[in-house]
Amino acid sequence: MIIAKTPKEIEIMHSAGRYLAELLLMLRDSVFPETTTSRLNEIAEKWLHSKSLYSPFKGYRGYPCSICVSVNEQVVHGIPGKRVIKEGDLVSIDAGVVFNNYVADAAITLSVGASSKVLEDLVRTTESSLYSGISQMVEGNRLYDITHAIQSHVEANKYSLVKEFCGHGVGRKMHEEPQVPNCGHKPHTGPRLRCGWVLAIEPMVNMGLPDVRIESDGWTVVTRDGRPSAHFEHTVAITSNGPLILTAL
Ligand code: MF3
Ligand code: CO
């Protein structure tokens, strides 16, 4: 069942999203060479605590931290730890906020220090594929119009999409129906989009081959070929005025 939200609920989720945007901007400004990924988690937890907010990630299926930090070949769900961030690394930060029992979920990717053109192009393409997916979030379109927009943008730029993980509905729970695949569907198919749906759209884009595996920690998703991967995510409501990005930075 796909739960449509009332305008009031969307307003609460927008508040959650504004907090989350503030958190992500702060974390983005905390990424320096020699910082550890666990330091970023500490900064996030201090900030959340100071605002009396919490993360929907912590404790989710036993996940131990409040954010995910995925470096270079790590695609998503990197557990913050002792890994030291280096100049030239590609760092994805995925975070969530619960405000008044509603969840916002978003992610950004940035390259550290003087960035290479090669990594910058991957980052730009991933982010713009997110926006091309979001632009399809109009009542009356179909769910896989979003998928197709993401996939065609990424493939036009000769990168590959991770098949194993999807976007999702979001609301009182972090993961609600429907799943929003990033590839593998024809346009003009899938359920019709309705006003009040709130979806987290989150393309994961690999520089090399699409294949991934999960590391022995049970969480960290890495590319099989060891090449870098980028991830962007927004929580977006479908309104009568079109898509409303609740986590806009
Ligand atoms: N943004 C991720 C998602 O939508 C975050 C979940 S990871 C977990 O699935 F750590 F919370 F489990
Ligand atoms: Co998500």
Side-chain angles (χ1 to χ4, degrees):
M1 193 197 38
I2 300 170
I3 306 165
K5 277 75 182 175
T6 64
K8 226 180 201 147
E9 289 177 296
I10 290 172
E11 201 33 65
I12 295 170
M13 294 185 74
H14 205 168
S15 299
R18 287 187 181 102
Y19 279 118
L20 178 51
E22 194 180 331
L23 173 61
L24 282 170
L25 286 172
M26 187 193 59
L27 290 171
R28 188 172 75 179
D29 291 339
S30 308
V31 175
F32 295 109
E34 306 312 320
T35 302
T36 61
T37 56
S38 65
R39 178 74 193 128
L40 296 175
N41 184 65
E42 282 168 24
I43 292 168
E45 293 198 341
K46 273 206 186 103
W47 187 89
L48 287 163
H49 185 79
S50 75
K51 305 275 182 198
S52 302
L53 300 167
Y54 68 96
S55 163
F57 296 11
K58 194 147 181 169
Y60 179 85
R61 299 188 181 194
Y63 187 76
C65 293
S66 293
I67 61 172
C68 302
V69 184
S70 307
V71 182
N72 295 341
E73 78 289 351
Q74 298 176 341
V75 178
V76 285
H77 303 168
I79 304 175
K82 293 190 168 67
R83 186 164 179 160
V84 177
I85 293 166
K86 299 288 182 199
E87 169 106 19
D89 277 353
L90 191 66
V91 178
S92 302
I93 302 171
D94 189 345
V97 159
V98 183
F99 172 75
N100 275 8
N101 297 315
Y102 287 85
V103 173
D105 185 8
I108 55 173
T109 298
L110 57 137
S111 52
V112 183
S115 66
S116 73
K117 282 225 159 55
V118 178
L119 286 181
E120 272 310 310
D121 190 73
L122 176 67
V123 169
R124 260 210 324 274
T125 300
T126 307
E127 188 172 24
S128 48
S129 77
L130 167 60
Y131 288 107
S132 55
I134 289 170
S135 71
Q136 296 299 314
M137 290 180 64
V138 172
E139 184 167 50
N141 274 2
R142 289 178 182 266
L143 187 65
Y144 302 140
D145 289 327
I146 301 171
T147 305
H148 179 257
I150 293 168
Q151 181 171 6
S152 48
H153 187 86
V154 168
E155 291 180 348
N157 286 279
K158 309 273 186 271
Y159 296 121
S160 60
L161 278 156
V162 174
K163 294 178 186 63
E164 286 83 349
F165 298 89
C166 293
H168 49 91
V170 54
R172 286 180 177 268
K173 292 212 190 113
M174 176 164 65
H175 292 148
E176 293 184 354
E177 285 182 42
Q179 287 199 8
V180 186
N182 293 309
C183 54
H185 290 270
K186 291 194 169 67
H188 316 302
T189 64
R192 269 193 202 285
L193 301 177
R194 301 288 179 202
C195 277
W197 289 12
V198 181
L199 306 177
I201 310 297
E202 50 178 321
M204 287 143 265
V205 177
N206 293 356
M207 178 98 69
L209 298 173
D211 312 79
V212 298
R213 61 180 175 81
I214 297 181
E215 296 220 297
S216 56
D217 62 18
W219 281 100
T220 313
V221 179
V222 295
T223 58
R224 282 190 181 266
D225 63 10
R227 297 185 72 198
S229 183
H231 177 218
F232 279 85
E233 177 175 19
H234 272 309
T235 295
V236 186
I238 301 171
T239 77
S240 52
N241 292 318
L244 176 63
I245 301 176
L246 304 180
T247 48
L249 265 54

